[in-house]
Amino acid sequence: MKKLVTFTLLTLLLFSPLFQTEVFASDVDGHQMETELNYWIAKGVIQADAKGKFNPNKAVTRGEFASYIARALELPTSTKYTFKDLKANASLTIEIQNAAGAGILSGYPDSTFKANDKITRQHMAAMMYKALRYMELPADTTVFKFKDANKITANFVDAVSASVNLNIIRGDHRKDGVYFNPKDNATIAHASAFLFRMFAAADVLKPTVSSEPNEPSKPVEPSAPGVDPEVYKVSTISNGQLNPTSAIYKTYEDALAAYNASSSVQAIVKNNKVINMKDGRAFGAENPRQVTTLYSDAALRTEVTYIQKGREMKYIGSSPDHVIVEVAGATFYAKTSEVNLIPTELVTGYDFYEVGQDGLLYHNTYEQLAKIRGVYYIGQAPSAMQVGKKYTSFDGVHFDEMGTTNTIIHYPYFQFQSIRQPTSYSSVELDRYIYEILKDRENTGIARYQSATTQSKLIGLGDYLKTIEETHRVNAMFILATAIHESDYGMSGNAQTKNNIFGIQVFDSTPESGAIYLHPINSIDAFITRYINLNYANPLGAHANGAAPGNKAVGFNVKYASDPNWGAKVAGHMWRIDSFLGQRDYKQANLGRIIYTGPVGVNVRTSPDPLSEKLFSYKQKDPGYNATFGYPLVIVEETIGSDGELWYKVLSDANPPSDYGWIRADLVERVTSSH
């Protein structure tokens, strides 16, 4: 019987930087893939060169990747296959031969292996595919959406498909779709991440191996009266409901074995709660905090963001203690108790997007706990999205057309425009909009809006909003849109009784709480000085993720609100204001995003000269898959710098008096162009 290599995410985290006392090397510390690299370094899989360096950004060779797999799987010694271009008895040769003997790799027709050649992405997928087979794990294929799928060599298609299906390889997201780049080379850091994901997938997929060969795991009998029974069961689904089998399993591993052994079994259940399923949707569960906390690690130690109860997340997989989900293009871990898993057959609703007859992009939301459906619009829909079709998206940028493999990439303008870009509208125009929108609210006939034009806390704020914009460099239209959203047009209980129009110190678990202010303008002061310019827009702030409304990957939405669509809703209000007042602000600026994914931050300088004074640095952050959600920028102009390279002049995210900075253009990708 082949040795089944097990890999638990908890074990992995014990080797992550969070638990390490040894510092491995300066060229790994702070790298975007530091956790993956240090895990394999600690295991002896990735080893230093003669200078003690690990060279994470160096292209990985065929021989190196073969050796990584051989060491990671602890492959048995084999001399079944030899290659004439390898030095006999060298450690690398032995590892390559071991991998060949395990059926994980092969050489060329001329009996060479070419160990020093850089490995292509499709060859790497092929080795991982065979490694999964070696571990006796399922390697199911799926339909993938790569724009360059026709460039994948035919005999590598299944291998690439299996890696995509297991979320090992994710592709390169660009404006016109997702690319695989099959013949490109990967770095040592990328190799560490691919192996990390492969073994993480193995942790989810691995079958339970019984103590005796060929002996299946057995269910245990119910415990005697007075003794708490074990509660793991497996369940089929029929007639719109779960049907747990009568067998009760002593451990999760035993239940998982039964779950994997039967195609009719769709879920593992504990205490009547689904904790693993073969296909379905994940939603935030009811819990004391009223939010689902999302962590970057399986040990649930490093909190990154959080999401409202009842809201949807993309389901990736499960273990007994956590659920793996995707939100805004990033993978997170959540407590099993804070997530509801709904198998596909039992799903009653989900989020989707569609284009209205008015050409606007509408988001239809679904709150799973209360079964509440809502809808709001974000702004102009891209021409690639069509009326009558439905789209799903977990980040509000990548829209998957339902029933097809088509993905449309669209950055809603106001959602990713820096709030350092001022509005063109005057205080008089903003006050006019406030009056008109309040009159519109009154005309709905809804009781809470019956005196909106006389009692709203937003009335007459236009002049102060423009003053704040000029002194603090925060877009007045953004401030107004946020106030409209947070205070329900100035008519919420907190707005009316506390002059709190931004939901300051109002939490999901205690919505009745909130800071008290003498006047709404004091609430504006607090919002700008204690939140936006202190911790959110300020690149040195505690919650600095970019100076735009954003989503759960970038911008204020990461930390300011549990609603995963807070940034999109604020952007929708900005679109509405702009459309009413003449649409002068829409696409008035050229937007970009930082695409650098290296181990250090990105410098913004006072002039287009690499030796000029550093204005500030964007701290290193995970920009999501393929840097889709790097820091947002407003590009003002471009020029050739003193180093002969192209530089962009950008609006500075720093607090006043800094207005502009310069950043090298190769670190940036344009998102939208101005009119």
Side-chain angles (χ1 to χ4, degrees), residues 469-491:
E469 179 180 77
E470 293 166 6
T471 56
H472 294 282
R473 295 186 61 244
V474 178
N475 183 294
M477 191 168 74
F478 160 75
I479 303 172
L480 175 58
T482 306
I484 289 171
H485 177 66
E486 290 287 350
S487 71
D488 192 14
Y489 299 88
M491 297 300 291

Side-chain angles (χ1 to χ4, degrees), residues 414-434:
F414 288 115
Q415 193 172 345
F416 296 97
Q417 177 197 263
S418 170
I419 54 92
R420 300 304 189 193
Q421 174 71 34
T423 179
S424 65
Y425 300 114
S426 67
S427 61
V428 173
E429 288 173 308
L430 294 178
D431 278 334
R432 179 161 63 89
Y433 176 79
I434 292 170

Side-chain angles (χ1 to χ4, degrees), residues 218-289:
K218 298 181 176 66
V220 298
E221 296 299 322
S223 302
V227 179
D228 291 335
E230 299 294 338
V231 292
Y232 292 108
K233 291 189 174 186
V234 296
S235 181
T236 60
I237 299 173
S238 62
N239 300 319
Q241 63 181 14
L242 286 169
N243 298 299
T245 62
S246 59
I248 299 173
Y249 295 91
K250 184 176 181 179
T251 67
Y252 174 82
E253 287 71 25
D254 287 341
L256 184 63
Y259 167 88
N260 286 331
S262 173
S263 60
S264 62
V265 170
Q266 296 298 310
I268 299 176
V269 179
K270 181 180 181 182
N271 291 337
N272 298 316
K273 179 180 176 67
V274 175
I275 62 170
N276 200 343
M277 61 185 181
K278 291 181 177 175
D279 186 66
R281 296 177 182 269
F283 298 87
E286 182 75 50
N287 65 82
R289 290 187 63 197

Side-chain angles (χ1 to χ4, degrees), residues 26 172 175 208 308 350 368 432 482 499 556 581 597 637 665:
S26 60
D172 177 16
K175 289 183 179 180
T208 298
Q308 278 178 325
Y350 54 87
Q368 183 263 333
R432 179 161 63 89
T482 306
N499 291 314
F556 308 148
L581 294 176
T597 59
E637 63 180 72

Side-chain angles (χ1 to χ4, degrees), residues 416 590-594 631-635 668-672:
F416 296 97
N590 295 309
L591 304 189
R593 59 184 172 87
I594 291 176
Y631 291 99
L633 302 169
V634 168
I635 301 170
V668 176
E669 181 172 281
R670 288 179 179 269
V671 173
T672 64

Side-chain angles (χ1 to χ4, degrees), residues 182-486:
K183 298 177 182 178
D184 284 2
N185 306 123
T187 65
I188 290 174
H190 290 141
S192 74
F194 293 154
L195 287 176
F196 183 100
R197 296 171 196 155
M198 183 181 77
F199 276 73
D203 182 43
V204 175
L205 295 172
K206 68 177 184 285
T208 298
V209 179
S210 57
S211 57
E212 297 296 329
N214 303 317
E215 179 182 347
S217 300
K218 298 181 176 66
V220 298
E221 296 299 322
S223 302
V227 179
D228 291 335
E230 299 294 338
V231 292
Y232 292 108
K233 291 189 174 186
V234 296
S235 181
T236 60
I237 299 173
S238 62
N239 300 319
Q241 63 181 14
L242 286 169
N243 298 299
T245 62
S246 59
I248 299 173
Y249 295 91
K250 184 176 181 179
T251 67
Y252 174 82
E253 287 71 25
D254 287 341
L256 184 63
Y259 167 88
N260 286 331
S262 173
S263 60
S264 62
V265 170
Q266 296 298 310
I268 299 176
V269 179
K270 181 180 181 182
N271 291 337
N272 298 316
K273 179 180 176 67
V274 175
I275 62 170
N276 200 343
M277 61 185 181
K278 291 181 177 175
D279 186 66
R281 296 177 182 269
F283 298 87
E286 182 75 50
N287 65 82
R289 290 187 63 197
Q290 305 298 301
V291 296
T292 296
T293 303
L294 302 178
Y295 301 86
S296 62
D297 59 292
L300 307 179
R301 296 176 183 271
T302 307
E303 179 180 336
V304 178
T305 186
Y306 52 98
I307 192 171
Q308 278 178 325
K309 67 176 184 179
R311 296 306 306 278
E312 186 178 358
M313 301 161 281
K314 184 177 181 180
Y315 177 64
I316 303 299
S318 305
S319 81
D321 305 311
H322 63 251
V323 177
I324 308 171
V325 297
E326 179 185 314
V327 176
T331 300
F332 298 105
Y333 301 86
K335 296 177 181 177
T336 301
S337 61
E338 294 186 359
V339 179
N340 288 336
L341 300 182
I342 311 296
T344 296
E345 296 89 337
L346 305 182
V347 170
T348 57
Y350 54 87
D351 281 28
F352 65 90
Y353 294 78
E354 58 186 350
V355 180
Q357 294 294 334
D358 53 7
L360 299 181
L361 179 59
Y362 287 83
H363 183 190
N364 294 267
T365 62
Y366 180 71
E367 205 275 34
Q368 183 263 333
L369 294 173
K371 304 294 188 290
I372 295 175
R373 289 176 169 82
V375 64
Y376 67 95
Y377 68 77
I378 304 164
Q380 187 72 41
S383 58
M385 298 179 75
Q386 301 175 25
V387 175
K389 295 185 177 182
K390 290 184 178 180
Y391 305 84
T392 59
S393 177
F394 289 94
D395 59 19
V397 169
H398 297 88
F399 299 90
D400 296 326
E401 183 181 331
M402 297 181 66
T404 75
T405 60
N406 187 32
T407 297
I408 297 164
I409 300 178
H410 167 62
Y411 288 84
Y413 178 80
F414 288 115
Q415 193 172 345
F416 296 97
Q417 177 197 263
S418 170
I419 54 92
R420 300 304 189 193
Q421 174 71 34
T423 179
S424 65
Y425 300 114
S426 67
S427 61
V428 173
E429 288 173 308
L430 294 178
D431 278 334
R432 179 161 63 89
Y433 176 79
I434 292 170
Y435 175 77
E436 293 296 337
I437 195 64
L438 294 177
K439 186 168 65 175
D440 177 73
R441 291 290 89 193
E442 282 186 346
N443 291 338
T444 64
I446 299 173
R448 69 178 183 274
Y449 298 131
Q450 63 180 353
S451 302
T453 56
T454 58
Q455 294 184 6
S456 170
K457 295 296 181 173
L458 303 182
I459 296 170
L461 290 180
D463 189 59
Y464 197 70
L465 293 174
K466 290 298 291 185
T467 298
I468 288 291
E469 179 180 77
E470 293 166 6
T471 56
H472 294 282
R473 295 186 61 244
V474 178
N475 183 294
M477 191 168 74
F478 160 75
I479 303 172
L480 175 58
T482 306
I484 289 171
H485 177 66
E486 290 287 350

